[in-house]
Amino acid sequence: DLQLVGSHKTVEGPDSTNGAVNIGVGSYYLAHHNITPNGSGVRVNEFTIVMDIKVLQLGEWYTLYQINPLNTDDGEWFFDRQGRMGVRATGYTDPIIVAGKWCRLAISVKNGERYDYYLNGQLVLNGQPNGIDERFSLGPTVLFFADENQEDNPIDVAEIKMFSRALEDDEIKLLGGFDAIYYAEKPL
């Protein structure tokens, strides 16, 4: 369940069977994910997040999630101004996000081993993992689209899913994505 903090507005989703919302600066969703600590730590060290999103323009920062329940520091997953996905600690993809196009994003995390980024079911970056119970481990809550210093520009979101383990490449591929090729000048 997602708890809205702030406000959002209804927008057209990726198709007629799937609605969406636009959530903007200062607003976010609080999720009590109910995943028990795993991955040999006292926090959640293995998980996967999948979301369908659309940004309206590039040239801004977009925060996808953060683990600080007080929203007093930076997020853990971003798009930068050029449309690159990632964060400094894990690395960034090439520019892959296209304004105005729906895409399905995923991160598959097994702290100590992997922190991998996916676009429309395709692996786009083997990110640098953190250690057990370090920055990318989860407490009992996750904030989606929250950032402490307005790097949470308006974003459309249709779905968010969380899994209690790090899905493998073939499992994420089965989740699919959107048909259009979004990779900046290189097909996936």
Side-chain angles (χ1 to χ4, degrees):
D1 292 334
L2 297 178
Q3 176 185 346
L4 176 63
V5 177
S7 63
H8 63 208
K9 64 181 179 180
T10 303
V11 296
E12 187 174 320
D15 63 49
S16 62
T17 65
N18 193 350
V21 295
N22 179 277
I23 188 156
V25 176
S27 295
Y28 57 90
Y29 298 108
L30 169 68
H32 296 276
H33 53 71
N34 297 317
I35 301 172
T36 57
N38 61 24
S40 303
V42 297
R43 296 173 57 87
V44 175
N45 287 284
E46 294 185 35
F47 60 95
T48 301
I49 298 173
V50 180
M51 61 176 66
D52 295 345
I53 63 94
K54 177 175 71 172
V55 298
L56 301 179
Q57 65 182 27
L58 295 178
E60 304 286 346
W61 282 85
Y62 297 91
T63 306
L64 299 171
Y65 90 95
Q66 78 153 277
I67 61 170
N68 182 327
L70 301 176
N71 192 25
T72 56
D73 60 15
D74 258 345
E76 276 61 55
W77 187 15
F78 290 92
F79 298 136
D80 71 6
R81 289 181 174 96
Q82 292 80 40
R84 301 179 311 158
M85 181 169 53
V87 67
R88 184 180 310 167
T90 63
Y92 284 93
T93 66
D94 290 333
I96 58 173
I97 302 304
V98 174
K101 301 288 185 182
W102 283 99
C103 59
R104 177 162 293 154
L105 308 175
I107 55 167
S108 184
V109 179
K110 187 171 186 178
N111 283 321
E113 294 183 30
R114 63 186 287 215
Y115 193 98
D116 296 339
Y117 295 97
Y118 299 81
L119 173 69
N120 295 323
Q122 300 295 313
L123 177 68
V124 290
L125 181 70
N126 292 113
Q128 177 66 37
N130 254 197
I132 304 293
D133 291 337
E134 290 182 4
R135 176 179 179 187
F136 298 115
S137 62
L138 307 179
T141 60
V142 173
L143 305 181
F144 290 105
F145 316 111
D147 189 74
E148 94 291 8
N149 63 354
Q150 282 78 48
E151 291 175 334
D152 59 336
N153 285 288
I155 192 167
D156 291 354
V157 58
E159 292 189 33
I160 301 172
K161 298 176 178 122
M162 287 189 73
F163 297 85
S164 60
R165 63 184 179 84
L167 297 182
E168 299 295 330
D169 291 356
D170 58 337
E171 294 174 303
I172 291 176
K173 190 171 196 156
L174 286 174
L175 294 174
F178 294 85
D179 293 332
I181 296 173
Y182 299 122
Y183 212 85
E185 291 181 9
K186 302 177 249 179
L188 292 174

